[in-house]
Amino acid sequence: MASNHVQDSDPTIGRLVHDATKDISTLVQKEIQLAKSELKVSVKAGGTGIGLFAGAAFIGVLAIIMLSVSIAYFINWNGDGLALHWAFLIVFGFYLLVAALLVFVGVRKVKQVKAPERAIEQGREIPKALKGQS
């Protein structure tokens, strides 16, 4: 009878598996909650940062417009230079060339983007690893 008492107090394999599954599930849920709370703080800070960048970009655009007008008037300088309409056309053409160059470089950089193949492959290996396969 003493052996029955020892066997009753020892957990069975099924009970151990059930407890481990329950613990893993709880751990995953807690990790998800932690990630959500961290992301909430990060998203709020990121949103504020993006708003500030947008404000700075708007002011930068206004500054470029003022600079463009100043350059056109500088080209015209007291009427001794080119006519004012030609001066503005020169500034416009310069900005068009800069924009075309940026598009060209941007397209080349976008074509270099590739899928994260190593991460995808490792992601495919996770189910096998959890099942105990190599």
Side-chain angles (χ1 to χ4, degrees), residues 20-82:
T21 304
K22 184 178 161 187
D23 290 343
I24 290 173
S25 176
T26 303
L27 177 64
V28 168
Q29 289 174 356
K30 296 296 181 183
E31 287 292 329
I32 290 171
Q33 288 175 353
L34 176 63
K36 283 181 182 179
S37 65
E38 288 177 350
L39 282 175
K40 190 175 184 180
V41 171
S42 295
V43 166
K44 186 176 179 181
T48 302
I50 288 172
L52 293 171
F53 283 136
F58 177 71
I59 291 172
V61 167
L62 294 179
I64 288 173
I65 291 169
M66 292 304 296
L67 177 66
S68 301
V69 171
S70 298
I71 291 171
Y73 275 104
F74 180 74
I75 292 171
N76 179 259
W77 194 291
N78 289 333
D80 294 338
L82 292 174

